[in-house]
Amino acid sequence: MSEIITSSLIELGQWFRPYQYQCALAIIATILVIFGNDLNNVVKQLVRKQHFVIRTIIFIVVCAVGYGLITVWLTELLSLQLAKIPNLYIIPVVSVIFIGLGLYAQKQRHI
């Protein structure tokens, strides 16, 4: 029985590898959705006394450039880290990450 589970996990891990980058992107996007409001609130607090035009420019830079760079850079970094996980463990690890994010989102009432 254990050998069947092990071989199935290895096969699933091999199947998963071509989709590793997309999975990393999904994880990073989920994290940004969960914590994006908190990041925006921090930025609001830092620039709240600035002129409207300055606040608008900073908001555009943070959202367009900041979130874009964070997404690209962290996705690549996470994808490289996922590549280090053996095929046997990649599916359980990714599943635990998504379950953990889902539980955290539920606890914070994002869902």
Side-chain angles (χ1 to χ4, degrees), residues 1-11 88:
M1 181 69 169
S2 176
E3 189 174 309
I4 294 171
I5 294 172
T6 301
S7 66
S8 296
L9 283 173
I10 290 172
E11 281 186 46
L88 175 63

Side-chain angles (χ1 to χ4, degrees), residues 47-57:
V47 298
R48 67 182 167 179
K49 295 181 181 178
Q50 301 299 322
H51 188 272
F52 169 76
V53 174
I54 302 296
R55 288 194 319 257
T56 303
I57 291 170

Side-chain angles (χ1 to χ4, degrees), residues 20-29 68-84:
Q20 181 175 289
Y21 186 86
Q22 288 84 353
C23 184
L25 179 60
I27 292 169
I28 296 302
L69 286 175
I70 287 171
T71 301
V72 170
W73 182 71
L74 288 180
T75 298
E76 183 66 29
L77 184 67
L78 181 58
S79 181
L80 291 172
Q81 296 306 311
L82 290 175
K84 295 177 182 179

